[in-house]
Amino acid sequence: SLVTRKTKTIGLILPDITNPFFPEVVRGAEDEAHKRGYNIILCNSDWDEEKEQVYLSVLQQQCVDGVILVGTKLSESYLASIAATFPPIVVIDRTIALDMHSISSNNIQGAYVATSHLLAQGCRIIGHIAGPEQSVSARQRMQGYRQALDEAGIPFLPELVVGGDYRMTTGKAAAAELLRRSPQVEGIFCANDLMAIGALEQLREASIRVPRDVAVVGYDGIAMSRYVYPPLTTVVQPTYRMGERAIQLLFDSIERNQPEFQHIELEPLLEIRKSSTRRA
Ligand code: RIB
C-alpha cells in the first residue's frame, strides 16, 4: 500500500525449475510467505548469471519487499555491490562471507558422509561426478569427498573426478567418461541426484550391476530418488526447511528491521538405500 510502501511481494530466483530440488525449496518458502500474507514472484535463471542479473533488476523495478536467491553463482563482490541499494536479500544453498542472511546445508559434511559410506561398503576406487566449478556447493562437496578419501589413506586421483552441470544428461555422460578412464571403479559419489540418476542409466546400458559392480550415491534427496531402480542412496538436504527459514530471516529484515545477519547451516542426512548397499 502507499502508506506502508510495502508491496507484500517477494522475488525468488532459482537456477533450474526442472530440477525437483528447487521446487521443494520453493514449497517451504511459499507456504511460509503465504502464512504472512505475502506473495512470491518466481524467476528461473537457467544457471545463467546474466539472466539472473536481469531478473534482479526486474524485481527491483517491481518494488518487491525482499529477494531470495537460491543457488546463485553471482560473485560475492557483485552481491556486495547491489546490497546497499536493494531490498533485503537472503541467499539459500550457499555460504557467503557478506552482511547478508544465508541458509544452506553443510555440503562438506554431507559429501564426507556419502564418501565414507562408500568406503564402509568396501569400495576403494571411488569416482566423483562433480557439479559446476563456479558453484560453491559443488566445490564444497568435492572437498568433503577428498577429505573422506584422505582420512582413509586413499590418494586422491584427479582422473576419477568428472565434471557435470547438475543435470541428468551430464550425469550420464560423466559416468560413461569415468568408466572409460577407470573401468575398475567400484563406487561413484554424485554431487546431486539428477546426475546420479543419469549415471544409473549409463551403468544399466553398459550392463554394469548396481550396487554389486558399482555402488552409487547421490545428493539432495529429491522425491524421485526413491523411485528409480535400484532406489538411490542419497544425502538428504532439508529443502522445505531451507525455504521456510529463508522467509523467516527475510521477515526479520523487512518487518523488524533486524540488523544482525545470520548464516545458518543445517545438517544433511544420509539415507541409505539399495544403490549402495553391498554389505548387509
Ligand atoms: O541439484 C541441484 C544442486 O544445486 C543441489 O544439490 C543444490 O544444493 C544446488 O547447489
Side-chain angles (χ1 to χ4, degrees), residues 19 21-22 47 71 93 107 135 137-138 141 166 191-194 219-220 237 242:
N19 179 340
F21 171 83
F22 297 107
W47 295 111
D93 186 41
N107 290 303
S135 153
S137 65
R141 287 171 203 168
Y166 281 145
N192 79 339
D193 284 346
L194 286 187
Y219 205 107
D220 283 350
Q237 298 202 67
M242 282 155 79

Side-chain angles (χ1 to χ4, degrees), residues 69-122:
L69 297 177
V70 190
T72 181
K73 292 196 288 189
L74 292 172
S75 69
E76 290 201 352
S77 55
Y78 181 83
L79 291 172
S81 75
I82 61 167
T85 60
F86 236 73
I89 299 177
V90 176
V91 172
I92 303 188
D93 186 41
R94 154 128 178 226
T95 48
I96 203 151
L98 292 177
D99 277 352
M100 197 174 269
H101 289 306
S102 74
I103 173 149
S104 57
S105 72
N106 190 330
N107 290 303
I108 301 176
Q109 168 76 5
Y112 173 85
V113 169
T115 311
S116 303
H117 166 70
L118 286 169
L119 288 162
Q121 297 301 307

